[in-house]
Amino acid sequence: MSDEILIVDGVSKSFPAGGGWLRQRRVVQAVDNVSFSVVRGNSFGLVGESGCGKSTLARCLLRLIRPDRGRVMFEGTDIVQLGRRALRRARRRLQIVFQDPYASLSPRRTVFQTLAEPLVVHGIARGAALRPRVQAALAEVGLPAEVAERYPHEFSGGQRQRIGIARALMLEPALIVADEPVSALDVSVQAQILRLLEGLRNRRGLSFVFVSHDLAVVRHFCDQVAVMYLGRIVELGPTRKVLEQPLHPYTRMLRLASPVPDPAARFKLPRIEGEIPSALAPPSGCPFHPRCPDAMPVCAAVRPRTVEPEAGRRVECHLYG
Amino acid sequence: MTAEAVAIETVRRRRSAFRFAAAPLTWIGAALIALIIVAALLAPWIAPYDPLEQSIADRLMPPSAEHLLGTDSFGRDVLSRLIHAARISLAVGVLSIALAMVAGCAIGITAGWIGGWFDSLVMGALDVLMSFPSLLLGLMVVAMLGPSLEHLVLAIAITELAPFARVARAPTLALKERDFIEAGRALGLSELRIIVVHVVPNLLGDVVVVASLWLATAIRTEASLSFIGLGVKPPTPTWGGMLREGFETILDAPWLSVAPSLAILATVLALNMIGDGLRDAVDPRLRRD
């Protein structure tokens, strides 16, 4: 058994939606019985269309949203059950980078204030000891030391994302949850940020949970990938295998919908049929069956079990048992 | 927000400072208030007479070279009383607004932050408070507690709590959904620190605008309460008190009521001019043209 830094076991989260007084309360099952694990030093990708619950899941991992059920074992302790103080300690090792670099930095705080704050509140450093640490963090994300006195609005999106990454690094975490960290950036900037994250992973031995809807980015960055559909993981396995020989029809569609550098593939471009169904009223049986090209009668009636067609791969589909 | 939006935002911010400077009314208001504040601060040195010194021989004298604004029914110099009264009026106004601002913001931020039924309950209670005319509400509070300077400040503060709570609550609702609040949580900041360090500075601009506008109302309420005898006790001069005393002899000595009226008018007008200027500088909807 390899060294697993994060084990997610049966995590579920639902939100009340609409309804209210005297009206029937409805529930969105945003994350439905999700399990996976991340090996120390590896990157684990979570992919899926928007609304599939991947950002909710990402927040459950840090307990920014408390899961309804399940365990999130991080370095051997269950994050879900921790008391306030222990949670605070655990989060020093577990950080998050957000999608929108314009919303993730406090507009009235200088870069120095933003980066020094976690050190101060955790009693790691204060006074004159703060500046060298902040400068070291800025250097690590490729920003000059002078930017420390500037405000977020003076930076470009890529620079702000670098500041967000520096902030996540201040407490020297072991695992970073990156929630679509490059999807709000220009393609050229995306590559820079990905290279930065890669460098951090190699230098610091960081582990990542990498949420994305972009298969090209996941292919490049992740060792393992899980494909989510309506709150469930429908396929999971090593990135290369999952993306080159996808098992689940949904993964196949996702793959074909994302540009592949292969001229031969250009001639057969099936579209993903239809819209993603409402999470308020998920389809019966397999949630993907209304859009599935391989749907069988059983798919509408029975929810498929998780099967392991080969070691280290998982798929939820009737095609495989 | 895109990079372009941020660039526009930066330009707007610069332009808003420019607009504040460019609005002549704002500057007139600021100059007027500065004059009143300086006069109030220097009252003991610039007032020609002791505001409490009575002189029966000189009672109800019309404005003259000796008494620029005349004398009242006790022979006290109206100009000296007017200048000294500015101290009380401004102090009561500023103190009550400061109190209303701190308490109102605390209530509004707490309600917005906690949300749910607590929010509905608090804001509902404030709506009830707001539905009373401020004079009536202040009157009730002072009548219950008894007239004194402290109670006057408290009464006016209570009447002006609600607007501050409303203005603080709305941005709190928006801010608490922002990623940097969640990042703060992930970094282990306490809820209190998140509110004080990351929420309050982002709503202070709106609150200051409200403060400058409601300061005028606070001064008016103070004058009204003094006018009906629920303000600061005589013989301490206040504008409202002077107005009431002058009212008794308005046909014989109209200058007694005209002088404090003009003082109140000038102060309220000047504060509103400043408030309007500040609002235009801060309000993004008015910034867009």
Side-chain angles (χ1 to χ4, degrees):
Chain A
M1 196 80 189
S2 44
D3 176 19
E4 285 166 333
I5 188 169
L6 183 76
I7 302 170
V8 178
D9 180 18
V11 165
S12 299
K13 176 72 196 175
S14 58
F15 295 104
W21 199 61
L22 286 183
R23 252 178 300 165
Q24 199 192 343
R25 206 163 250 285
R26 302 204 288 175
V27 160
V28 175
Q29 193 70 41
V31 177
D32 187 6
N33 195 18
V34 164
S35 303
F36 65 89
S37 59
V38 182
V39 175
R40 192 179 291 274
N42 272 11
S43 299
F44 186 91
L46 280 174
V47 298
E49 288 167 281
S50 58
C52 73
K54 47 196 199 301
S55 283
T56 304
L57 178 58
R59 279 162 175 73
C60 285
L61 301 182
L62 287 94
R63 213 175 101 188
L64 290 171
I65 295 173
R66 196 186 183 127
D68 301 330
R69 275 191 310 282
R71 296 185 305 157
V72 178
M73 303 293 292
F74 174 68
E75 295 192 316
T77 49
D78 186 0
I79 296 286
V80 181
Q81 300 302 331
L82 288 180
R84 187 199 298 236
R85 204 164 283 177
L87 177 66
R88 205 166 157 243
R89 243 194 330 271
R91 280 182 179 158
R92 283 176 61 167
R93 310 268 304 148
L94 183 62
Q95 283 296 313
I96 182 165
V97 173
F98 293 93
Q99 170 176 18
D100 181 355
Y102 293 99
S104 64
L105 298 173
S106 193
R108 306 283 167 117
R109 307 274 287 167
T110 64
V111 172
F112 177 80
Q113 287 174 321
T114 295
L115 296 186
E117 188 169 35
L119 298 176
V120 174
V121 300
H122 282 278
I124 296 168
R126 59 197 172 109
L130 291 170
R131 196 154 292 274
R133 279 171 178 264
V134 168
Q135 284 175 355
L138 286 173
E140 189 159 12
V141 298
L143 289 171
E146 305 91 80
V147 306
E149 301 315 320
R150 298 215 237 138
Y151 287 91
H153 70 262
E154 300 175 59
F155 296 96
S156 70
Q159 288 171 318
R160 294 185 62 150
Q161 198 57 297
R162 285 172 192 271
I163 297 165
I165 293 167
R167 176 178 57 189
L169 292 176
M170 293 314 291
L171 296 173
E172 314 215 322
L175 184 140
I176 288 183
V177 175
D179 183 10
E180 303 252 18
V182 297
S183 61
L185 306 173
D186 294 340
V187 174
S188 59
V189 182
Q190 285 192 0
Q192 294 171 16
I193 298 294
L194 283 174
R195 224 170 297 138
L196 168 64
L197 292 176
E198 234 167 355
L200 291 172
R201 184 176 57 180
N202 298 339
R203 264 200 313 280
R204 290 180 169 238
L206 277 172
S207 316
F208 280 91
V209 172
F210 195 94
V211 179
S212 181
H213 62 261
D214 187 341
L215 292 192
V217 169
V218 168
R219 187 197 308 270
H220 179 78
F221 193 75
C222 297
D223 306 288
Q224 296 261 316
V225 64
V227 179
M228 285 186 77
Y229 188 78
L230 283 181
R232 300 182 68 83
I233 290 183
V234 293
E235 179 165 5
L236 181 151
T239 307
R240 186 167 322 153
K241 283 192 172 171
V242 171
L243 295 186
E244 282 175 12
Q245 298 139 16
L247 296 175
H248 199 284
Y250 179 59
T251 317
R252 263 182 267 158
M253 282 181 148
L254 273 188
R255 200 185 82 101
L256 290 171
S258 89
V260 179
D262 174 10
R266 209 181 285 164
F267 296 97
K268 33 168 188 167
L269 266 183
R271 288 165 302 136
I272 300 193
E273 298 286 334
E275 291 285 303
I276 188 164
S278 163
L280 274 169
S284 62
C286 171
F288 186 58
H289 84 263
R291 300 166 78 189
C292 183
D294 305 320
M296 304 174 285
V298 64
C299 299
V302 184
R303 170 165 279 186
R305 286 179 305 116
T306 303
V307 290
E308 272 193 54
E310 52 188 282
R313 290 191 76 170
R314 250 164 55 191
V315 63
E316 260 189 22
C317 180
H318 286 302
L319 290 175
Y320 306 92
Chain B
M1 217 188 316
T2 62
E4 191 189 358
V6 169
I8 293 169
E9 181 66 17
T10 313
V11 173
R12 272 198 198 134
R13 218 161 264 181
R14 259 183 232 133
R15 204 187 292 159
S16 70
F18 168 75
R19 175 156 318 165
F20 182 77
L25 277 182
T26 312
W27 282 109
I28 295 171
L32 208 52
I33 282 296
L35 192 73
I36 295 166
I37 290 173
V38 167
L41 288 176
L42 300 180
W45 296 281
I46 61 167
Y49 297 92
D50 181 339
L52 303 180
E53 191 186 81
Q54 301 186 3
S55 166
I56 299 302
D58 297 329
R59 58 194 295 270
L60 292 177
M61 298 242 294
S64 64
E66 210 179 334
H67 297 283
L68 286 176
L69 295 178
T71 59
D72 67 8
S73 52
F74 294 98
R76 297 175 298 198
D77 181 53
V78 171
L79 178 62
S80 304
R81 287 179 66 72
L82 200 66
I83 293 172
H84 277 269
R87 304 187 121 193
I88 302 286
S89 293
L90 287 181
V92 169
V94 169
L95 282 177
S96 58
I97 283 296
L99 196 64
M101 188 165 97
V102 172
C105 287
I107 292 170
I109 291 171
T110 312
W113 192 255
I114 295 175
W117 64 267
F118 181 79
D119 184 31
S120 310
L121 188 78
V122 170
M123 296 323 283
L126 286 175
D127 281 342
V128 173
L129 200 64
M130 237 164 141
S131 67
F132 283 99
S134 60
L135 181 61
L136 191 67
L137 193 60
L139 201 138
M140 275 159 52
V141 175
V142 176
M144 274 190 308
L145 299 174
S148 78
L149 193 63
E150 294 85 359
H151 294 161
L152 192 63
V153 168
L154 188 67
I156 297 171
I158 290 173
T159 65
E160 303 196 345
L161 216 58
F164 284 101
R166 292 204 153 274
V167 164
R169 171 180 169 269
T172 303
L173 286 175
L175 284 165
K176 75 174 179 177
E177 304 295 335
R178 299 276 293 271
D179 283 346
F180 65 83
I181 300 295
E182 222 159 37
R185 246 180 232 137
L187 290 164
L189 313 191
S190 64
E191 295 288 299
L192 186 67
R193 185 180 172 101
I194 290 175
I195 289 173
V196 172
V197 176
H198 296 278
V199 175
V200 172
N202 286 305
L203 51 78
L204 222 47
D206 297 342
V207 170
V208 167
V209 172
V210 172
S212 69
L213 288 170
W214 281 87
L215 182 55
T217 311
I219 287 174
R220 241 176 14 167
T221 308
E222 184 273 330
S224 310
L225 286 171
S226 295
F227 181 77
I228 55 179
L230 287 173
V232 180
K233 287 268 177 218
T236 310
T238 67
W239 290 339
M242 289 173 70
L243 202 56
R244 186 192 65 231
E245 288 162 13
F247 201 63
E248 289 160 12
T249 54
I250 192 160
L251 292 179
D252 306 323
W255 59 89
L256 289 184
S257 358
V258 169
S261 305
L262 286 178
I264 295 167
L265 180 70
T267 310
V268 169
L269 200 61
L271 284 170
N272 277 320
M273 287 171 177
I274 295 176
D276 283 346
L278 279 176
R279 191 197 53 212
D280 291 353
V282 171
D283 190 338
R285 278 167 307 170
L286 294 170
R287 239 187 270 150
R288 204 165 287 147
D289 56 323

